[in-house]
């Protein structure tokens, strides 16, 4: 599933440094605005300790984690919605993603230029939100013009879309992102279908310096308070430390992290949280050739999850044989699972659960 999360923020807040560490893709990073113009895209593995648990019981040739697709989008500036700083181009790149990772600078450093002249994460968040709200307002105006005539002529679908656009316009005129508006379940489905930028889920990525890794700083506290108010998540990253870690071998990483009082790189948490932000869950397949994590949307039934592997699996679905990792760890192998009655047979109506290990039976 090729779902994308876009890294956004003002120039020089650490977006490309974080992206480079995440993907090792070599995106250019420099201390001036608009260093990134075309979006860089990278595929990022999602660390999952459950893969090691499965591998401890099932010998295999390779282990493949789930992945997320990350897009590094150039820094937006005040006036981007009016075309400042190549803003229209950048906004188009954001619109094409499924979720937003909003990088916010939460450290002082006189050697790193801030485009606004000072460090204030809430002002920076509000600057980006304003530009995205203005971009959506322009899109909504276009929708109103598109649906006005057919809505007046009695087209029910057009009327519903026109009324939705009117409500979206009212929310945006208050300077509020659509994700923070009040919607019925049916309205929200229509809002999502309209592909507005501010309807996308957001996670704030606080870029701190090494002294702020504990997350106790005043700037981070402000971002957490803002995020809590809108139901968004927060992840703490020290971009420079993560850049160093990404160049170390595993042994040196472990020692370096221990010195910092960390159990894992911040980027591991970021990858996992991004995966969740995109609404993804994981099931596993396991055999002699490979153990693999597969991505699906929460609530999907077994046939649709089978289709993630291959369309023939969904079309010819017969049943799924399912067990839990906890049962595997207890009973050692599939023979032990069968003997203990822990290998279940599920049909077409089974809603797959995060962490299921599955074998699909199907007709070609």
């Amino acid at each position: 599933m090729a779902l994308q999360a876009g890294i956004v923020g003002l120039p020089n807040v650490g977006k490309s440094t974080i992206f480079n560490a995440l993907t090792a893709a070599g995106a250019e990073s420099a201390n001036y605005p608009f260093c990134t113009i075309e979006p860089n895209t990278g595929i990022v593995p999602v660390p999952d300790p459950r893969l090691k648990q499965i591998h401890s019981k099932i010998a295999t040739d390779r282990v493949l984690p789930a992945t997320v697709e990350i897009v590094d989008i150039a820094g937006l500036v005040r006036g981007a919605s009016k075309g400042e700083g190549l803003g229209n181009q950048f906004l188009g790149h954001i619109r094409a993603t499924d979720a937003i990772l909003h990088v916010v600078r939460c450290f002082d450093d006189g050697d790193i230029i801030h485009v606004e002249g000072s460090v204030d994460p809430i002002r920076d968040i509000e600057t980006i939100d304003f530009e995205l709200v203005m971009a959506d307002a322009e899109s909504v105006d276009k929708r109103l013009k598109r649906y006005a005539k057919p809505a007046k002529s009695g087209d029910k679908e057009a009327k519903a879309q026109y009324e939705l656009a009117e409500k979206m316009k009212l929310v945006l005129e208050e300077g509020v992102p659509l994700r923070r508006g009040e919607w019925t379940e049916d309205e929200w489905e229509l809002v999502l279908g309209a592909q507005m930028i501010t309807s996308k889920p957001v996670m704030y990525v606080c870029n701190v310096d090494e002294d702020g890794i504990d997350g106790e700083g005043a700037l981070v506290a402000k971002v957490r308070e803002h995020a809590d108010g809108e139901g968004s998540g927060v992840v703490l990253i020290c971009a420079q430390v993560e850049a160093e870690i990404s160049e170390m071998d595993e042994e040196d990483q472990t020692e370096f992290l221990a010195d910092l009082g960390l159990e894992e790189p911040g980027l591991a948490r970021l990858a996992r949280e991004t995966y969740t932000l995109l609404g993804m869950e994981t099931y596993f397949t396991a055999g002699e050739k490979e153990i693999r994590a597969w991505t699906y949307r929460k609530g999907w039934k077994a046939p649709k999850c089978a289709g993630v592997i291959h369309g023939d699996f969904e079309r010819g679905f017969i049943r799924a044989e399912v067990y839990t990792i906890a049962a595997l760890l207890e009973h050692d192998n599939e023979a032990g699972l069968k003997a203990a009655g822990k290998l279940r047979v599920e049909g077409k109506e089974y809603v797959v659960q995060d962490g299921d290990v599955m074998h699909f039976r199907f007709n070609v």
Side-chain angles (χ1 to χ4, degrees):
M1 298 178 64
L3 294 178
Q4 292 185 334
I7 298 179
V8 306
L10 293 174
N12 300 339
V13 296
K15 299 182 309 301
S16 293
T17 302
I18 291 170
F19 175 83
N20 288 349
L22 269 171
T23 65
E28 187 178 8
S29 177
N31 185 24
Y32 55 89
F34 312 124
C35 173
T36 307
I37 296 177
E38 291 301 322
N40 298 290
T41 302
I43 305 298
V44 180
V46 179
D48 193 329
R50 295 175 296 183
L51 287 165
K52 287 186 178 179
Q53 291 178 323
I54 298 170
H55 197 203
S56 71
K57 298 295 183 180
I58 298 178
T60 191
D61 292 339
R62 57 180 183 170
V63 178
L64 299 175
T67 60
V68 293
E69 195 166 315
I70 305 292
V71 184
D72 179 27
I73 296 168
L76 292 170
V77 294
R78 196 179 300 276
S81 59
K82 302 299 182 184
E84 291 295 326
L86 301 180
N88 291 332
Q89 183 178 352
F90 301 161
L91 288 164
H93 295 153
I94 299 170
R95 198 178 299 280
T97 65
D98 301 285
I100 294 173
L101 306 180
H102 188 159
V103 179
V104 187
R105 179 171 164 179
C106 292
F107 66 92
D108 285 306
D109 187 334
D111 293 331
I112 300 178
I113 299 166
H114 191 292
V115 71
E116 295 282 1
S118 62
V119 177
D120 183 342
I122 302 305
R123 177 205 59 207
D124 293 353
I125 289 171
E126 290 173 348
T127 296
I128 295 295
D129 276 351
F130 176 81
E131 297 304 330
L132 300 185
V133 163
M134 290 299 98
D136 275 354
E138 183 177 341
S139 296
V140 166
D141 284 339
K142 291 177 181 177
R143 291 179 71 84
L144 286 168
K145 291 176 183 177
R146 182 194 317 164
Y147 290 112
K149 189 173 181 180
K152 287 180 180 179
S153 68
D155 185 312
K156 290 184 179 180
E157 174 62 24
K159 187 173 185 294
Q161 290 291 351
Y162 186 82
E163 290 174 352
L164 176 75
E166 285 186 312
K167 185 169 181 179
M168 287 194 291
K169 184 177 178 67
L170 290 174
V171 173
L172 295 167
E173 283 179 343
E174 294 294 322
V176 176
L178 294 173
R179 66 181 179 275
R180 290 165 55 188
E182 295 183 6
W183 311 96
T184 67
E185 187 174 333
D186 289 342
E187 285 175 336
W188 184 239
E189 287 300 314
L190 290 174
V191 172
L192 293 177
Q195 290 293 301
M196 295 292 159
I197 297 174
T198 63
S199 69
K200 300 179 188 297
V202 171
M203 181 166 63
Y204 295 101
V205 182
C206 293
N207 185 15
V208 300
D209 57 17
E210 194 168 330
D211 292 335
I213 282 180
D214 61 5
E216 299 299 322
L219 296 177
V220 172
K222 290 180 179 180
V223 177
R224 290 191 194 280
E225 182 180 2
H226 178 89
D228 287 345
E230 66 175 37
S232 296
V234 174
V235 171
L236 213 68
I237 292 288
C238 178
Q240 289 299 345
V241 166
E242 298 295 332
E244 293 178 39
I245 291 173
S246 68
E247 296 178 355
M248 297 178 183
D249 60 32
E250 188 172 346
E251 184 177 340
D252 288 341
Q253 279 189 15
T254 302
E255 183 177 343
F256 185 62
L257 288 168
D259 289 342
L260 293 172
L262 302 175
E263 294 182 0
E264 64 177 356
L267 294 178
R269 295 192 303 277
L270 178 57
R272 284 198 299 270
E273 292 295 332
T274 300
Y275 190 74
T276 301
L277 183 69
L278 288 165
M280 299 292 98
E281 291 188 338
T282 304
Y283 74 82
F284 303 94
T285 55
E288 292 181 0
K289 291 185 177 180
E290 68 177 26
I291 297 168
R292 183 163 180 165
W294 298 92
T295 298
Y296 72 96
R297 280 203 179 278
K298 183 177 181 178
W300 280 11
K301 294 180 180 179
K304 193 165 187 178
C305 286
V308 173
I309 301 176
H310 196 287
D312 286 347
F313 283 31
E314 181 175 6
R315 287 186 291 270
F317 180 90
I318 300 172
R319 66 181 183 274
E321 297 172 358
V322 186
Y323 60 88
T324 66
I325 295 172
L328 174 65
L329 294 176
E330 181 180 355
H331 298 287
D332 293 328
N333 51 46
E334 290 190 12
L337 289 166
K338 289 178 182 178
K342 297 295 184 178
L343 186 65
R344 310 190 314 271
V345 175
E346 303 287 359
K348 292 183 178 180
E349 296 304 309
Y350 176 66
V351 177
V352 174
Q353 301 300 301
D354 184 52
D356 279 348
V357 185
M358 310 187 75
H359 294 304
F360 295 108
R361 305 300 180 187
F362 65 99
N363 287 319
V364 178

